Amino acid sequence: MKIVDIVCSAGRTGFFFDDQAAIKTTAIPDGNAYLGDPVTAGFTKVRQAGESVSVMFVLEDGQIAHGDCAAVQYSGTGGRDPLFLAEDFIPLIRLECEALYKGKEITTFKEMAHAIDSKRPCHTAIRYGVTQACLDAAAKSQKKLMAQVIAEEYGLQMATARIPIFSQSGDDRYTNVDKMILKGSEVLPHGLINNMSKLGYKGEKLLEYIAWLRDRIINIAPHDAYKPALHIDVYGVLGIALDHSFPAIVDFMGRAGEIAAPYLLRIEGPVDMGNREAQVEALASLTASIEKAGIPVEIVADEWCNTYEDIKIFTNNKAGHMAQIKTPDLGGINNSIEAVLYCKQNGMGAYLGGTCNETDRSGQICTHIAMATSPVQLLAKPGMGVDEGYMNVYNEMGRILALAKRGGTCAN
């Protein structure tokens, strides 16, 4: 079956582009906006509407295969590609896709994904969305689920149960937590602790928040067996608050872990050392110290752990207990698949993440990746409202499981 045409449409994402550097320093929250000037190249405001591009392959039998190009909320920082604006990139997407795919036979997902993912330089968002369309095209041509195509091409067994879902709260870190608990989210709340006002002078506000989380779960849990993991992203500000003293950070982790009990606590991005080499060294040291002290807290690598190669380096150096695989940052979804598998094969927890700033489509396709590769957890996306992102991936998991049990192919 051939791809006979390429169609692109500009769209919105489930959240915003935020200038992380400005938010960490000079920007002042004002309702759902920020006051102040942006400092990261490409931004005209500290917070801007998120943009996406749907890439649609028209197949010769009339079917449409599509994926969504999207970039992370904090674009342009931590070694990432610059701001992804639809108007700027649609002409380039059309040019690249028409040269690579128009009039061509649909082959394997791996082969089609490699064609665009090997193009350098090519924005990660473009490679992300186009490879989604490649996976959908391969699945439609074979009359199979996208998860089945991945499992077959990579020699995997599809999951037969749901993957734990990680919900994120945004700034509404109290009311949104209630939603997560009532819906039974297995991992929560992210928390968005991205500046000192949320953390406290020496982290005391975070400790109070962890205690509140523990008590809130106990008080309104949907059933007695509900035991979610607590996963909180601190964007490196913990290191700032504690003057990057590793003994002080380890001591803080110990206190936080005790307060979180009986729930497992994960802290994402405890420090941001400004470059990959220093970040790997820091997280490796903290991980070793935490394990030596027997502290029941896991460190999650995030900043400077963006590409497949980055994830391999963090994994090989035991720089964290878990790596967030930020799917848009890895470019082609083939890289996200391989990153999950590499983490699993080498003793690193695989968190198939991404960003609130994605779309319904990219979230659903990532759910197929999760059901084929079985990471520790999958991010509920897009958005920060909890209900919408959780519904999106939860329902897609249900569809995959039900169809796979039936036989899974459209022809059955």
Side-chain angles (χ1 to χ4, degrees):
M1 186 183 298
K2 290 184 179 180
I3 298 168
V4 298
D5 202 2
I6 312 291
V7 180
C8 294
S9 65
R12 292 296 196 199
T13 61
F15 203 64
F16 300 94
F17 289 127
D18 285 343
D19 183 348
Q20 186 184 50
I23 291 170
K24 279 186 174 182
T25 53
T26 58
I28 300 170
D30 178 30
N32 206 28
Y34 286 93
L35 300 178
D37 296 323
V39 298
T40 300
F43 280 82
T44 55
K45 298 285 186 180
V46 175
R47 168 164 284 180
Q48 298 177 208
E51 299 186 19
S52 65
V53 176
S54 285
V55 179
M56 294 166 277
F57 290 173
V58 181
L59 311 187
E60 63 179 334
D61 67 352
Q63 295 186 91
I64 308 295
H66 92 276
D68 279 357
C69 302
V72 297
Q73 173 188 7
Y74 297 120
S75 292
T77 60
R80 298 180 177 101
D81 279 355
L83 204 60
F84 180 74
L85 302 177
E87 183 178 345
D88 295 341
F89 284 100
I90 282 178
L92 179 60
I93 294 169
R94 285 180 177 146
L95 184 67
E96 296 284 6
C97 286
E98 288 184 2
L100 291 172
Y101 302 112
K102 188 173 180 179
K104 306 288 180 63
E105 288 285 345
I106 297 169
T107 58
T108 65
F109 162 67
K110 283 185 178 181
E111 182 178 339
M112 294 175 67
H114 178 74
I116 186 69
D117 193 57
S118 61
K119 298 281 287 185
R120 298 291 190 277
C122 184
H123 198 290
T124 50
I126 296 175
R127 292 184 277 129
Y128 188 48
V130 174
T131 54
Q132 293 171 39
C134 290
L135 176 60
D136 193 20
K140 283 184 165 61
S141 69
Q142 297 175 42
K143 295 183 170 59
K144 294 178 179 176
L145 301 172
M146 288 182 281
Q148 289 177 314
V149 171
I150 296 168
E152 290 176 8
E153 292 197 20
Y154 287 85
L156 307 172
Q157 291 293 322
M158 279 179 56
T160 57
R162 294 179 183 275
I163 304 300
I165 297 173
F166 175 28
S167 294
Q168 55 184 337
S169 65
D171 277 321
D172 194 356
R173 62 186 59 80
Y174 293 93
T175 301
N176 274 347
V177 163
D178 283 2
K179 296 180 183 181
M180 297 171 188
I181 297 170
L182 294 173
K183 288 180 182 289
S185 187
E186 295 89 352
V187 189
L188 55 89
H190 186 269
L192 199 68
I193 311 296
N194 59 358
N195 61 49
M196 293 294 292
S197 67
K198 301 171 185 176
L199 183 80
Y201 176 61
K202 292 295 181 182
E204 68 279 356
K205 287 187 178 180
L206 178 56
L207 295 178
E208 292 170 2
Y209 182 60
I210 292 170
W212 178 85
L213 283 171
R214 176 202 63 210
D215 293 343
R216 195 63 176 161
I217 294 167
I218 291 169
N219 290 336
I220 68 168
H223 50 78
D224 291 342
Y226 181 58
K227 293 289 188 294
L230 307 185
H231 183 139
I232 299 173
D233 193 347
V234 299
Y235 294 89
V237 294
L238 180 62
I240 296 171
L242 300 177
D243 300 318
H244 290 98
S245 166
F246 287 8
I249 294 171
V250 172
D251 178 68
F252 181 92
M253 295 285 193
R255 287 183 287 148
E258 289 177 1
I259 292 169
Y263 307 110
L264 172 66
L265 176 64
R266 297 188 181 114
I267 298 293
E268 183 172 345
V271 297
D272 183 346
M273 304 304 290
N275 62 74
R276 186 179 70 184
E277 290 70 24
Q279 188 76 353
V280 169
E281 183 178 350
L283 292 195
S285 175
L286 288 170
T287 301
S289 296
I290 286 170
E291 290 180 350
K292 183 178 180 181
I295 295 170
V297 176
E298 294 181 353
I299 289 177
V300 183
D302 182 4
E303 268 68 37
W304 303 100
C305 186
N306 300 323
T307 67
Y308 177 44
E309 289 304 316
D310 292 341
I311 289 167
K312 290 171 67 176
I313 290 169
F314 276 78
T315 298
N316 294 344
N317 286 276
K318 299 188 184 305
H321 300 93
M322 174 181 282
Q324 184 190 171
I325 298 162
K326 298 184 289 294
T327 51
D329 280 338
L330 271 72
I333 58 170
N334 49 306
N335 298 316
S336 292
I337 294 166
E338 291 172 13
V340 172
L341 300 181
Y342 191 88
C343 287
K344 291 177 65 175
Q345 292 161 3
N346 292 278
M348 177 73 91
Y351 157 29
L352 189 63
T355 175
C356 54
N357 194 47
E358 294 191 51
T359 70
D360 55 340
R361 183 60 173 169
S362 65
Q364 290 164 0
I365 291 179
C366 284
T367 305
H368 282 262
I369 295 173
M371 294 300 288
T373 61
S374 298
V376 174
Q377 63 192 43
L378 168 68
L379 181 65
K381 56 188 182 181
M384 286 286 200
V386 178
D387 301 299
E388 301 84 357
Y390 186 87
M391 172 196 69
N392 192 39
V393 301
Y394 184 94
N395 290 356
E396 189 70 7
M397 275 190 208
R399 288 186 283 265
I400 293 167
L401 287 168
L403 288 170
K405 184 177 180 180
R406 176 184 179 272
T409 67
C410 299
N412 284 348

